[in-house]
Amino acid sequence: MEKEEMREESEIEARAKGNNVSPAVIKRLPRYFRYLRELIRNGKLRISSGELSEMMNVTASQIRQDLNCFGGFGQQGYGYNVNYLYAKVCEILGVGEGYSAIIIGSGNLGRALVRNPMFEKRGVDIVGMFDVAPEVIGKRVADIEIRGMDELEKFCDAQKVDMAVLTCPKENALDAAERLVRLGIKGIWNFTGKELEHLGKGVVVENVHIGDSLMTLCYELRAQEEKMSEDV
Amino acid sequence: MEKEEMREESEIEARAKGNNVSPAVIKRLPRYFRYLRELIRNGKLRISSGELSEMMNVTASQIRQDLNCFGGFGQQGYGYNVNYLYAKVCEILGVGEGYSAIIIGSGNLGRALVRNPMFEKRGVDIVGMFDVAPEVIGKRVADIEIRGMDELEKFCDAQKVDMAVLTCPKENALDAAERLVRLGIKGIWNFTGKELEHLGKGVVVENVHIGDSLMTLCYELRAQEEKMSEDV
């Protein structure tokens, strides 16, 4: 994990430098994004660091420090401008770059993802979904037609595709990823459980391991149980 | 995130103390779990720190340090016993505690999860699935019958349920979680996007925000693009 983290760190560092925002703040931004979005949805125009602190379960001084990094200076007794902060977070994170994505695999996970509003919220446009099973090809999920994997080359020639979401079986993950990279796709969001790396120059991969989160839960559950039994 | 991380940190610390394993190592264990499992699957009985380093993209000295923490002393020219390390990681993480789980929501995400072998691999037994939609109640997904939410109390009275996987709509998340906690469920694995916390004494929550990982991918994609354009 270290080398991987170090690599990510250096990319994040380079990017952060351009924005004069520290890498540590960058890592916290997706969380600010979520909370600020929620505030806007609720029609809240201004918020104090104290309120945001309460909401996000982070100290107020940490929040002030973070927001000041990108010029979100609050006014005494008046708070922060929520829309400004949100726009700034989006700008730094690259939300609204107009990235387009395809989903590989139309199983339950692919279907759960294609219907998930998170893509739209983050400015990513799902433009296609691909599968190998003849019985699903031609069907639609959430307005997206499922195409055969044999149409992949033609599809990617005809339109810009920035990223691919891999939900195919683990054993097909590497082949699919290499094929996508050959087609010029630069971002792979990998849910297959197969660790993918070194796919080519300029290609970035996010390997999602949901099971790690389950293990953390099991670990904490047992730690709690032991604590409770000690308390008795 | 800070306070949250600090809380987790202190639980992990308490647990780690009992095992004489540092909290930093504990956080890395789910990844060791995955790689060691893969090695066993491939029939590999022993491995050197160099090989493991190559595989996991971590320095060999880091690996030696981590494994020594829980008594996995390698032998010069002979390497580590893979089965021993795997058993030790499982023991520390609480795999095989025999936890049972129910899934709330039988939509695409619920179905994707119930079919996912990660539960079995981590020793968690899925014992039930619940939904409110009359048209799915009574149907089966992967041998699990979908029950109505009105059967929840009776079900949890009749059998031990340690954790619940929340895949219901965001707006029902808090109600469902509070109801589950009242029924004695101590672990909530939360996929709803609604941040859940302070659900009660001894209750642990893992909030999963898949969208954060998408944002990291977008961010890195843009950072790469800028780097590539500077290189030209």
Side-chain angles (χ1 to χ4, degrees), chain B:
Chain B
M1 199 175 259
E2 280 53 42
K3 274 199 211 157
E4 201 172 78
E5 274 187 355
M6 273 166 59
R7 183 184 53 78
E8 280 180 19
E9 199 62 52
S10 67
E11 275 162 24
I12 288 178
E13 222 159 285
R15 175 89 207 119
K17 239 173 81 187
N19 280 296
N20 293 314
V21 177
S22 87
V25 178
I26 294 283
K27 284 200 176 176
R28 288 195 284 267
L29 286 186
R31 193 148 183 265
Y32 280 109
F33 171 84
R34 280 191 273 116
Y35 279 91
L36 290 168
R37 223 190 130 74
E38 187 74 18
L39 287 171
I40 290 171
R41 229 171 59 111
N42 295 335
K44 184 111 178 150
L45 296 176
R46 304 198 74 89
I47 191 162
S48 68
S49 54
E51 286 172 289
L52 205 50
S53 154
E54 181 86 4
M55 207 178 151
M56 292 182 65
N57 205 17
V58 177
T59 64
S61 87
Q62 178 73 71
I63 284 182
R64 281 191 298 270
Q65 244 177 58
D66 284 353
L67 301 190
N68 285 353
C69 277
F70 48 94
F73 302 104
Q75 281 174 267
Q76 191 76 43
Y78 198 59
Y80 292 91
N81 180 321
V82 173
N83 280 306
Y84 172 81
L85 289 183
Y86 180 72
K88 207 66 196 170
V89 167
C90 287
E91 183 197 320
I92 298 170
L93 284 176
V95 175
E97 286 286 303
Y99 287 132
S100 57
I102 55 176
I103 297 182
I104 308 297
S106 74
N108 287 309
L109 182 58
R111 284 162 196 258
L113 288 171
V114 78
R115 288 213 173 89
N116 195 310
M118 83 184 138
F119 289 103
E120 199 195 329
K121 285 181 190 167
R122 284 156 185 81
V124 176
D125 196 18
I126 303 289
V127 293
M129 191 168 199
F130 293 82
D131 208 312
V132 288
E135 64 272 22
V136 298
I137 294 168
K139 294 203 173 149
R140 301 183 87 88
V141 186
D143 271 353
I144 304 286
E145 188 193 336
I146 304 172
R147 290 163 208 265
M149 277 297 276
D150 52 354
E151 293 178 60
L152 197 57
E153 279 72 16
K154 212 178 91 189
F155 186 89
C156 293
D157 270 356
Q159 75 172 98
K160 184 185 80 103
V161 179
D162 300 296
M163 51 176 87
V165 186
L166 281 195
T167 73
C168 58
K170 191 175 181 175
E171 47 281 16
N172 307 334
L174 184 59
D175 281 350
E178 288 177 343
R179 189 167 157 199
L180 292 160
V181 167
R182 279 197 300 275
L183 292 171
I185 289 174
K186 296 291 187 199
I188 306 278
W189 199 20
N190 174 25
F191 284 86
T192 65
K194 166 85 184 162
E195 195 88 6
L196 296 173
E197 43 190 7
H198 310 309
L199 289 175
K201 196 168 149 62
V203 177
V204 291
V205 183
E206 265 286 298
N207 293 306
V208 181
H209 292 290
I210 296 179
D212 288 4
S213 160
L214 176 61
M215 296 202 93
T216 305
L217 184 64
C218 289
Y219 176 81
E220 290 188 357
L221 199 53
R222 204 180 50 158
Q224 265 310 316
E225 280 168 6
E226 284 177 17
K227 201 170 141 241
M228 302 294 267
S229 69
E230 278 164 21
D231 288 355
V232 172

Side-chain angles (χ1 to χ4, degrees), chain A residues 163-196:
Chain A
M163 51 176 85
V165 186
L166 281 194
T167 74
C168 58
K170 192 176 181 176
E171 47 280 17
N172 306 334
L174 184 59
D175 281 350
E178 288 178 341
R179 190 167 156 198
L180 291 160
V181 168
R182 279 196 300 273
L183 292 171
I185 289 174
K186 296 291 186 199
I188 306 278
W189 200 20
N190 174 24
F191 285 85
T192 64
K194 166 84 185 165
E195 194 88 5
L196 296 174

Side-chain angles (χ1 to χ4, degrees), chain A residues 94-109:
Chain A
V95 176
E97 286 284 304
Y99 287 131
S100 57
I102 56 175
I103 297 183
I104 307 298
S106 75
N108 287 309
L109 181 59

Side-chain angles (χ1 to χ4, degrees), chain A residues 64-78:
Chain A
R64 280 192 297 272
Q65 245 178 56
D66 284 355
L67 302 191
N68 285 352
C69 278
F70 48 93
F73 302 105
Q75 281 174 267
Q76 191 77 38
Y78 197 59

Side-chain angles (χ1 to χ4, degrees), chain A residues 33-230:
Chain A
F33 171 84
R34 280 191 272 117
Y35 279 91
L36 290 168
R37 221 190 131 75
E38 188 75 17
L39 288 170
I40 290 171
R41 229 171 59 114
N42 295 335
K44 185 114 175 142
L45 296 176
R46 304 199 73 89
I47 192 161
S48 69
S49 53
E51 287 171 289
L52 205 51
S53 154
E54 182 87 1
M55 205 178 154
M56 292 183 64
N57 204 17
V58 178
T59 65
S61 88
Q62 178 73 71
I63 284 182
R64 280 192 297 272
Q65 245 178 56
D66 284 355
L67 302 191
N68 285 352
C69 278
F70 48 93
F73 302 105
Q75 281 174 267
Q76 191 77 38
Y78 197 59
Y80 293 91
N81 179 321
V82 173
N83 280 306
Y84 173 81
L85 288 183
Y86 180 72
K88 208 64 195 167
V89 168
C90 287
E91 184 197 319
I92 298 170
L93 285 176
V95 176
E97 286 284 304
Y99 287 131
S100 57
I102 56 175
I103 297 183
I104 307 298
S106 75
N108 287 309
L109 181 59
R111 283 162 196 259
L113 289 171
V114 78
R115 287 211 175 88
N116 195 309
M118 82 182 139
F119 289 103
E120 200 195 328
K121 285 182 190 166
R122 285 158 184 80
V124 176
D125 195 19
I126 302 289
V127 293
M129 192 168 198
F130 293 83
D131 208 312
V132 289
E135 64 272 22
V136 298
I137 294 168
K139 294 203 173 148
R140 300 183 86 86
V141 186
D143 272 352
I144 304 286
E145 187 193 334
I146 305 172
R147 289 163 209 265
M149 278 295 276
D150 51 355
E151 292 178 61
L152 197 58
E153 279 72 15
K154 213 178 90 190
F155 186 89
C156 292
D157 268 355
Q159 75 172 99
K160 183 185 80 104
V161 180
D162 300 297
M163 51 176 85
V165 186
L166 281 194
T167 74
C168 58
K170 192 176 181 176
E171 47 280 17
N172 306 334
L174 184 59
D175 281 350
E178 288 178 341
R179 190 167 156 198
L180 291 160
V181 168
R182 279 196 300 273
L183 292 171
I185 289 174
K186 296 291 186 199
I188 306 278
W189 200 20
N190 174 24
F191 285 85
T192 64
K194 166 84 185 165
E195 194 88 5
L196 296 174
E197 44 188 7
H198 310 308
L199 289 175
K201 195 168 151 63
V203 177
V204 292
V205 183
E206 267 284 300
N207 293 305
V208 181
H209 291 290
I210 297 177
D212 288 5
S213 161
L214 175 62
M215 296 202 93
T216 305
L217 183 64
C218 289
Y219 176 81
E220 289 187 358
L221 199 53
R222 205 181 49 160
Q224 263 313 313
E225 281 169 6
E226 284 177 15
K227 200 170 142 243
M228 302 293 268
S229 70
E230 278 163 20

